[in-house]
Amino acid sequence: MDDADAAAAVARAREAVERAARVLAEASARTETLAEFVPGRRVLGVPRAPRMHVVGPVWRLGVLLLDAEGRLFATGRVVRAERAVRKSITAGSVAEHRAYRAAAIKGGIPEGETVDFDAEPLPLDTAALAAGEGPLRLLRGEDGSRFVGVRWNPAFADAMLPLDAYLAERVDLLVHPPQGA
């Protein structure tokens, strides 16, 4: 019975993800660019600058990224594509952040576009969800039923919400942003 409950919970989670992707697509909600960072290297002895390789558009839903095919990713790092500027920088983290911004431009991403990278794919299957790695987990409710939950704040172990409720809230915020946002 427990395996059947877990499989039913995963099926409900997949339906919620597909519904979210459909609603966002129909509303033409704002997307961001999912990319992979490609470090600098030499090609035939010629140095090649680091760049971002575009994977495709995604909707950022808090700790999750969702693409039009219904695939989920854990939100990794986020930058805005900007041209490289020469400035004297003392902080290594600031220089690294600027390098990622410039790598996005080198990868052909338009200036000003929001770029998500280092995003890990999140499988929606019983074994992966039961293992509980990443923001998605297979949980048991107070009534004993199984559901897929999302840890919406990685800093707190108990910051869990049912995935369907989390997606509904985040989709509504993206489709109907608050005034002034």
Short mmCIF file of all heavy atoms in Angstrom, two decimals, residues 2 12 14 16 18 27 79 91 100 127 141-142 173:
data_model
loop_
_atom_site.label_atom_id
_atom_site.label_comp_id
_atom_site.label_asym_id
_atom_site.label_seq_id
_atom_site.Cartn_x
_atom_site.Cartn_y
_atom_site.Cartn_z
N ASP A 2 1.99 1.21 0.74
CA ASP A 2 2.86 2.38 0.83
C ASP A 2 3.45 2.73 -0.53
O ASP A 2 3.56 3.91 -0.86
CB ASP A 2 3.96 2.15 1.87
CG ASP A 2 4.60 3.45 2.30
OD1 ASP A 2 3.85 4.42 2.54
OD2 ASP A 2 5.83 3.50 2.40
N ARG A 12 0.43 12.86 -8.70
CA ARG A 12 -0.21 14.15 -8.41
C ARG A 12 0.80 15.29 -8.58
O ARG A 12 0.46 16.37 -9.09
CB ARG A 12 -0.81 14.17 -7.01
CG ARG A 12 -2.06 13.34 -6.87
CD ARG A 12 -2.75 13.58 -5.53
NE ARG A 12 -1.90 13.41 -4.36
CZ ARG A 12 -1.67 12.24 -3.75
NH1 ARG A 12 -2.23 11.13 -4.22
NH2 ARG A 12 -0.89 12.19 -2.69
N ARG A 14 3.42 15.32 -10.62
CA ARG A 14 3.63 15.51 -12.07
C ARG A 14 2.49 16.29 -12.69
O ARG A 14 2.70 17.16 -13.53
CB ARG A 14 3.78 14.16 -12.76
CG ARG A 14 5.11 13.52 -12.52
CD ARG A 14 5.32 12.31 -13.42
NE ARG A 14 6.61 11.73 -13.16
CZ ARG A 14 6.81 10.47 -12.85
NH1 ARG A 14 5.79 9.63 -12.80
NH2 ARG A 14 8.02 10.02 -12.62
N ALA A 16 0.60 18.49 -11.17
CA ALA A 16 0.73 19.87 -10.70
C ALA A 16 1.80 20.61 -11.51
O ALA A 16 1.62 21.78 -11.88
CB ALA A 16 1.07 19.92 -9.21
N GLU A 18 2.81 19.85 -14.65
CA GLU A 18 2.29 20.03 -16.00
C GLU A 18 1.26 21.16 -16.05
O GLU A 18 1.25 21.97 -16.98
CB GLU A 18 1.68 18.73 -16.51
CG GLU A 18 2.71 17.66 -16.80
CD GLU A 18 2.11 16.29 -17.04
OE1 GLU A 18 0.86 16.16 -17.12
OE2 GLU A 18 2.89 15.32 -17.13
N ALA A 27 -0.34 32.16 -20.23
CA ALA A 27 -0.30 33.55 -19.77
C ALA A 27 0.89 34.32 -20.35
O ALA A 27 1.03 35.51 -20.08
CB ALA A 27 -0.25 33.59 -18.25
N VAL A 79 22.45 35.48 -12.53
CA VAL A 79 23.13 36.74 -12.88
C VAL A 79 22.33 37.43 -13.97
O VAL A 79 21.47 36.82 -14.60
CB VAL A 79 24.58 36.53 -13.36
CG1 VAL A 79 25.47 35.97 -12.28
CG2 VAL A 79 24.64 35.70 -14.62
N ALA A 91 37.54 42.63 -4.20
CA ALA A 91 36.83 41.44 -3.74
C ALA A 91 36.76 40.39 -4.84
O ALA A 91 36.27 40.65 -5.94
CB ALA A 91 35.42 41.81 -3.29
N TYR A 100 30.96 36.02 -14.65
CA TYR A 100 29.77 35.25 -15.06
C TYR A 100 28.85 36.11 -15.93
O TYR A 100 28.29 35.63 -16.91
CB TYR A 100 29.00 34.73 -13.85
CG TYR A 100 29.68 33.57 -13.16
CD1 TYR A 100 29.85 33.57 -11.78
CD2 TYR A 100 30.12 32.47 -13.87
CE1 TYR A 100 30.46 32.51 -11.13
CE2 TYR A 100 30.73 31.40 -13.23
CZ TYR A 100 30.90 31.43 -11.86
OH TYR A 100 31.50 30.37 -11.23
N ALA A 127 11.88 6.94 -6.17
CA ALA A 127 13.17 6.67 -5.52
C ALA A 127 13.92 7.96 -5.20
O ALA A 127 14.44 8.13 -4.09
CB ALA A 127 14.02 5.77 -6.43
N GLY A 141 1.76 13.08 5.36
CA GLY A 141 0.92 14.06 6.02
C GLY A 141 0.46 13.58 7.38
O GLY A 141 0.68 12.42 7.76
N GLU A 142 -0.20 14.45 8.11
CA GLU A 142 -0.71 14.10 9.44
C GLU A 142 -1.72 12.96 9.39
O GLU A 142 -1.84 12.18 10.33
CB GLU A 142 -1.33 15.32 10.10
CG GLU A 142 -0.32 16.39 10.47
CD GLU A 142 -0.96 17.61 11.10
OE1 GLU A 142 -2.16 17.57 11.43
OE2 GLU A 142 -0.25 18.61 11.26
N LEU A 173 1.80 34.35 -8.61
CA LEU A 173 2.65 35.53 -8.47
C LEU A 173 3.30 35.92 -9.80
O LEU A 173 3.46 37.11 -10.10
CB LEU A 173 3.74 35.32 -7.43
CG LEU A 173 3.31 35.44 -5.98
CD1 LEU A 173 4.43 34.98 -5.06
CD2 LEU A 173 2.92 36.87 -5.65
#
